[in-house]
Amino acid sequence: MVRALTVAFQGEPGAFSEEAVHAFFGDDEETLPVPAWRSVFEAVRDGTATAGVVAIESSLAGSIRETYDLLSEFYDDGIRIVGETSVPVRLALVALPGQSIESIERVYSHAQALAQADEFLRARDWQVMTTYNTAGAARMIAEKGERGAAAIASPRVAELYGLEVLADNVQTGDENRTRFAILARDGTTLDAPRSLAVDAPRQTTLVFAVRNVPGSLHRCLGTFAARGVNLSRLESRPTRGARWEYLFWVDVDADAYHPDCAAAIEALRGETQMVRILGSYPRAQETS
């Protein structure tokens, strides 16, 4: 008997996070649209969804900082990263049928999408307003019948909501992608998606807090360098408990249980105030 799998994503049908669900799991899983990134974590924690998909990084706009804060907040609830996928971002300007670019006065979209289409938007004298989701912006225009308004969203939302594409490929550059983390409760085993190669290299995401002494970060990073373990990503985020103190988020190009990586993490614990492993999982294999 095949176990039903429900996957939560933020936004409306047609959102890029829904595309990430299909890219990772395929088209046969049941999806659960929710209004916010926090709602995805809550759905997985409460068992409403078996898994969740959240944006974690844009190749153009950088980290989705809210996601990192939520990963830390929900750590004690057992939420872990169990996979990732990378989705190409193709943005379009969509509006009600019969509208033209010349008739547009207002543009709605999520802040990340607006940043990714900044070059296109700056060339025009439009009022730009943020919404909670790209597809949600398109749906709002369709439901209100709002003329003089357009949304920046995936071109596929035009068909979903009865809109027209006024301009395609309005994103800056052709290599823009968003990286999504796949979430599940600690100990949950998901069937291997068809999108993942069996021998896909693994990586580990962890967060640590350094001691406030000279050379502390240098020694922390040295635990990996001494064992030949590569760090593909390092970023600092303010802690919520103390002013001007920071957590360091790291992506390690190895499984946490690989002997060299495990030894590095054990040494890291001796140099830090806190280490949390957010997950070890197959690295995304990018496709066009």
Side-chain angles (χ1 to χ4, degrees):
M1 180 177 180
V2 178
R3 178 172 58 87
L5 181 67
T6 301
V7 185
F9 71 91
Q10 186 269 343
E12 304 282 350
F16 286 105
S17 50
E18 185 189 43
E19 292 187 22
V21 173
H22 296 316
F24 189 85
F25 292 99
D27 300 328
D28 299 328
E29 308 300 347
E30 180 181 350
T31 57
L32 176 66
V34 296
W37 299 124
R38 174 177 291 276
S39 304
V40 176
F41 283 80
E42 291 172 343
V44 176
R45 179 198 63 191
D46 298 340
T48 308
T50 318
V53 172
V54 291
I56 197 168
E57 183 181 12
S58 162
S59 62
L60 182 65
S63 299
I64 315 297
R65 297 194 167 189
E66 182 183 357
T67 299
Y68 282 95
D69 289 340
L70 290 167
L71 282 166
S72 183
E73 180 180 340
F74 283 82
Y75 177 84
D76 289 337
D77 292 313
I79 305 301
R80 300 290 184 270
I81 303 173
V82 297
E84 69 169 6
T85 188
S86 175
V87 174
V89 176
R90 304 286 183 262
L91 294 172
L93 185 75
V94 299
L96 292 171
Q99 297 279 274
S100 65
I101 287 185
E102 291 72 27
S103 66
I104 299 303
E105 301 173 353
R106 302 170 300 285
V107 176
Y108 301 95
S109 196
H110 188 275
Q112 286 285 334
L114 293 174
Q116 292 166 21
D118 179 65
E119 187 175 318
F120 173 80
L121 294 170
R122 280 189 289 108
R124 292 156 178 84
D125 187 23
W126 289 334
Q127 183 181 8
V128 176
M129 291 173 283
T130 59
T131 59
Y132 86 104
N133 180 251
T134 54
R139 181 175 181 173
M140 177 189 70
I141 289 171
E143 290 182 345
K144 290 183 175 180
E146 186 174 350
R147 304 190 70 78
I152 298 289
S154 169
R156 74 189 186 97
V157 305
E159 182 178 353
L160 288 174
Y161 299 117
L163 302 175
E164 290 182 349
V165 174
L166 302 187
D168 204 355
N169 290 316
V170 301
Q171 72 279 351
T172 301
D174 296 326
E175 299 301 322
N176 189 13
R177 304 183 74 95
T178 297
R179 177 184 167 214
F180 290 85
I182 313 303
L183 307 178
R185 293 290 301 271
D186 194 18
T188 300
T189 300
L190 302 178
D191 293 336
R194 64 187 184 208
S195 59
L196 284 180
V198 174
D199 58 349
R202 295 180 68 83
Q203 69 181 15
T204 298
T205 296
L206 56 85
V207 59
F208 62 86
V210 301
R211 297 189 177 95
N212 191 16
V213 295
S216 180
L217 179 60
H218 174 76
R219 288 191 295 275
C220 289
L221 300 182
T223 65
F224 295 96
R227 294 162 178 85
V229 179
N230 186 58
L231 307 182
S232 57
R233 193 164 180 277
L234 171 68
E235 182 171 350
S236 64
R237 293 280 293 125
T239 67
R240 293 187 174 185
R243 187 181 301 131
W244 313 127
E245 292 189 8
Y246 297 86
L247 299 175
F248 290 89
W249 294 81
V250 175
D251 283 346
V252 184
D253 288 345
D255 188 278
Y257 295 102
H258 185 280
D260 290 335
C261 187
I265 293 172
E266 185 61 29
L268 178 66
R269 295 187 191 278
E271 298 288 350
T272 60
Q273 295 178 322
M274 174 274 289
V275 178
R276 290 176 171 177
I277 299 175
L278 275 298
S280 278
Y281 49 92
R283 193 181 312 158
Q285 305 300 293
E286 292 189 355
T287 58
S288 58

